Amino acid sequence: MSQVKVWGSEPFWGLGYAWDPDWMPASQHKELRAEVIELCEQEMRENAKRSDNELKFPRRNLEQLKEPIGR
């Protein structure tokens, strides 16, 4: 396939087109996934980088995942 998938603004090199996670989810699953991706881009990525630099467990990222997203 010539189509390029993206993750945010970057090319997505995940599992490929043979296994496409978009083939089955309902609209609310896609909305939840979009919210989780936004959380990752806005907060969790920086928390993970900071935790890696400080050699600490990224506890805040796990706390953010248990908080209700967009509700």
Side-chain angles (χ1 to χ4, degrees):
M1 291 197 147
S2 61
Q3 183 182 13
V4 175
K5 287 194 162 204
V6 295
W7 179 271
S9 61
E10 300 176 8
F12 174 69
W13 301 102
L15 299 173
Y17 286 95
W19 188 87
D20 188 342
D22 281 332
W23 72 275
M24 195 171 107
S27 61
Q28 64 255 60
H29 297 134
K30 290 180 180 180
E31 291 170 16
L32 177 61
R33 181 179 62 193
E35 292 177 28
V36 170
I37 289 170
E38 183 179 341
L39 176 64
C40 290
E41 289 174 343
Q42 291 180 355
E43 297 187 40
M44 295 180 77
R45 182 176 289 158
E46 287 304 315
N47 290 341
K49 287 179 187 177
R50 187 172 32 260
S51 294
D52 284 351
N53 290 338
E54 297 173 3
L55 302 175
K56 293 183 178 178
F57 186 78
R59 185 170 310 282
R60 178 63 187 142
N61 283 356
L62 296 176
E63 291 169 352
Q64 287 177 315
L65 287 175
K66 75 176 186 179
E67 295 171 8
I69 297 175
R71 293 169 181 79

